Amino acid sequence: MGRYDEAKKRLRGSIAPIITPFTESGSIEFDTLKNLIDWHIESGTHAISVTGTTGEPSSLTVDERVQVMETASKAVNGRVPFVPGTGSTNHEETLYLTKKAEEIGADAALVIVPYYNKPSQHALYKHFKAVADSVEIPIIIYNIPGRTATNLDVKTLAKLNEDCENIIGVKESNKDFEHVNRVLLNCGRGFLLYSGIELLCYPMLAIGGAGHISATANIVPDKVAEIYNAWEEGDVKRAQDLHYDLMPLNDVLFKDTNPAPLKAALGMMGKIEPVLRLPMDVPTQELQDEIREVLKEYVQLPDEVAAK
């Protein structure tokens, strides 16, 4: 058995990318973060992630990212795997955060393709190899070309997988389904492939994916986890039914940039204060009204919210 085989067995299913809750004044609400993590685990979420795209990492200072990771790690307390996002547009910052994740006992680190810089494939290889070489914990690369303006080529990913034993998977927020098929063809069927696109969570399981890291899990963690559970149990119809049942919710949650609609929805549910840090902000009132109407079909809203 390889060194990372046990991690590959555990890091499957719905890895929920938790939002970072803020107070009305914009400071981090750590107690709310702990409560959200408890709710997720009680709802069947298979693993917890923080400070990924949904956690607004670019709106946090480096020290705040470490504080969020430490708080989340303690709240998870080994009940499920913990996979914080440690990537950045800055190489040294990425190294620092990934080492911190290892220090606090994270089960793996989720490392995004650097955004804004638009590095070449050769530079991406050097960046990710340096990150992988700096730690012993597993690394899951996060490819989201719609927000980074750079797509990690399958050949680059395959070379990283070949050269770095601890690069064990990739979160593909990539709408090119041909691309994600070729990930497993070139990296091997044991490579962990996660969907970061809500409408591809079920289809990726069908081609051999390991699970999904879906923002929608913030709203209905039980249903998002159940897609994976149903597939694993061989209940294809149930998995398909959940896939189509969640489509209206998925659609409305991405009518504005994530996590703005998510935070509006969680505010309506009474889970958080719906606050984002500028330059992000809550959706328009028109979209909030639409979110509320869709949300009523999935969760029980407080009477005063549902009546609006």
Side-chain angles (χ1 to χ4, degrees), residues 154-201:
V154 171
K155 288 183 179 179
T156 307
L157 181 60
K159 182 167 174 55
L160 285 164
N161 176 48
E162 180 181 350
D163 295 347
C164 306
E165 187 182 11
N166 60 332
I167 293 181
I168 65 169
V170 64
K171 174 186 177 182
E172 282 285 358
S173 293
N174 198 322
K175 293 184 177 181
D176 182 349
F177 200 58
E178 289 189 14
H179 171 98
V180 298
N181 276 268
R182 295 186 186 283
V183 166
L184 292 184
L185 177 66
N186 287 271
C187 294
R189 301 278 289 279
F191 195 66
L192 301 182
L193 171 67
Y194 305 93
S195 176
I197 297 291
E198 277 59 30
L199 295 190
L200 294 183
C201 288

Side-chain angles (χ1 to χ4, degrees), residues 98-121:
T98 306
K99 290 175 184 177
K100 279 292 182 183
E102 182 172 50
E103 287 174 16
I104 65 176
D107 294 275
L110 181 67
V111 186
I112 195 169
V113 169
Y115 39 91
Y116 184 75
N117 293 331
K118 297 185 71 174
S120 66
Q121 296 300 309

Side-chain angles (χ1 to χ4, degrees), residues 106-291:
D107 294 275
L110 181 67
V111 186
I112 195 169
V113 169
Y115 39 91
Y116 184 75
N117 293 331
K118 297 185 71 174
S120 66
Q121 296 300 309
H122 172 68
L124 285 172
Y125 173 85
K126 291 179 68 176
H127 169 72
F128 282 113
K129 187 172 189 308
V131 173
D133 288 348
S134 74
V135 293
E136 294 186 359
I137 59 171
I139 300 295
I140 298 168
I141 292 176
Y142 179 12
N143 189 30
I144 179 169
R147 293 185 79 144
T148 64
T150 302
N151 188 40
L152 182 66
D153 286 352
V154 171
K155 288 183 179 179
T156 307
L157 181 60
K159 182 167 174 55
L160 285 164
N161 176 48
E162 180 181 350
D163 295 347
C164 306
E165 187 182 11
N166 60 332
I167 293 181
I168 65 169
V170 64
K171 174 186 177 182
E172 282 285 358
S173 293
N174 198 322
K175 293 184 177 181
D176 182 349
F177 200 58
E178 289 189 14
H179 171 98
V180 298
N181 276 268
R182 295 186 186 283
V183 166
L184 292 184
L185 177 66
N186 287 271
C187 294
R189 301 278 289 279
F191 195 66
L192 301 182
L193 171 67
Y194 305 93
S195 176
I197 297 291
E198 277 59 30
L199 295 190
L200 294 183
C201 288
Y202 168 69
M204 279 205 202
L205 292 175
I207 64 168
H212 30 264
I213 306 176
S214 166
T216 303
N218 281 272
I219 307 300
V220 284
D222 53 345
K223 288 182 179 291
V224 175
E226 181 60 21
I227 293 175
Y228 179 82
N229 293 339
W231 177 260
E232 280 295 290
E233 293 164 8
D235 192 344
V236 174
K237 184 178 184 305
R238 175 65 175 153
Q240 289 175 339
D241 288 347
L242 285 161
H243 169 74
Y244 287 107
D245 177 58
L246 288 175
M247 282 182 66
L249 180 60
N250 290 328
D251 288 345
V252 79
L253 290 177
F254 286 87
K255 287 195 172 184
D256 193 357
T257 304
N258 181 47
L262 273 184
K263 284 197 159 182
L266 285 166
M268 294 171 196
M269 294 165 64
K271 295 287 187 184
I272 65 167
E273 291 293 335
V275 178
L276 295 92
R277 286 179 175 176
L278 292 172
M280 299 288 287
D281 198 9
V282 293
T284 64
Q285 188 59 54
E286 180 182 7
L287 180 52
Q288 289 189 49
D289 292 342
E290 185 177 352
I291 292 168

